[in-house]
Amino acid sequence: MMQLIKKLSEPKFIVSVGLLYTLFITIIFLMPTQDLPKSTIEWADKIIHTCIHLILASLWLFYINSKNNNTNGFSKKIALVLVFCVFYGIIIEILQQVSTTSRTADVLDVCANTVGTFLGLGVFWIIKNIFKI
């Protein structure tokens, strides 16, 4: 089990997954809404945004953790990942407004993205401490 965890925590693997995931969610966020499934749950969209950004932030935090050989500047790198994820969410909302005809920017989506980013930080710390990575 620990060998599998060690293999999955290698920088090359994490950065590959992070880049693919970021590309995937960019495509999904910019798809026309008629191509996406509809939900009957009122807040499903916000929950989805939160979960997507939780995973996004966690992936990139695990990547910087895997590349970090010492603790110098580690908190700055964490802050940089969090800022990147929040700004990414804002940029996606702006792009939805200006580059698609079936989507609009939503401040509540930005809030959900931000909450997801900080929940991702929490998930990162919990997993990092449980598996001592």
Side-chain angles (χ1 to χ4, degrees):
M1 175 73 167
M2 287 306 285
Q3 192 169 0
L4 175 63
I5 292 169
K6 193 171 198 148
K7 192 81 167 159
L8 294 175
S9 64
E10 291 179 3
K12 285 182 185 178
F13 178 77
I14 298 172
V15 76
S16 298
V17 172
L19 288 170
L20 287 172
Y21 183 75
T22 305
L23 178 64
F24 172 74
I25 63 174
T26 301
I27 291 167
I28 294 297
F29 279 140
L30 296 177
M31 284 178 80
T33 54
Q34 65 265 20
D35 296 339
L36 299 173
K38 304 285 185 251
S39 174
T40 58
I41 302 170
E42 187 176 334
W43 287 92
D45 176 54
K46 305 312 174 236
I47 294 167
I48 291 168
H49 275 264
T50 301
C51 292
I52 286 171
H53 271 71
L54 181 153
I55 295 167
L56 179 71
S58 296
L59 280 171
W60 289 111
L61 288 167
F62 280 113
Y63 172 67
I64 65 153
N65 184 65
S66 71
K67 293 291 286 180
N68 196 42
N69 296 332
N70 58 38
T71 57
N72 292 340
F74 187 60
S75 57
K76 286 182 184 177
K77 291 175 185 175
I78 288 174
L80 206 64
V81 169
L82 298 177
V83 167
F84 164 79
C85 290
V86 170
F87 277 117
Y88 172 80
I90 292 168
I91 290 167
I92 287 295
E93 289 301 314
I94 292 169
L95 287 174
Q96 285 178 342
Q97 181 71 38
V98 299
S99 69
T100 67
T101 56
S102 63
R103 290 181 170 240
T104 58
D106 185 353
V107 173
L108 291 178
D109 284 349
V110 172
C111 293
N113 296 344
T114 303
V115 168
T117 296
F118 285 94
L119 287 174
L121 175 63
V123 166
F124 164 74
W125 280 117
I126 290 168
I127 292 173
K128 182 180 183 317
N129 290 328
I130 288 173
F131 293 106
K132 310 285 189 250
I133 51 176

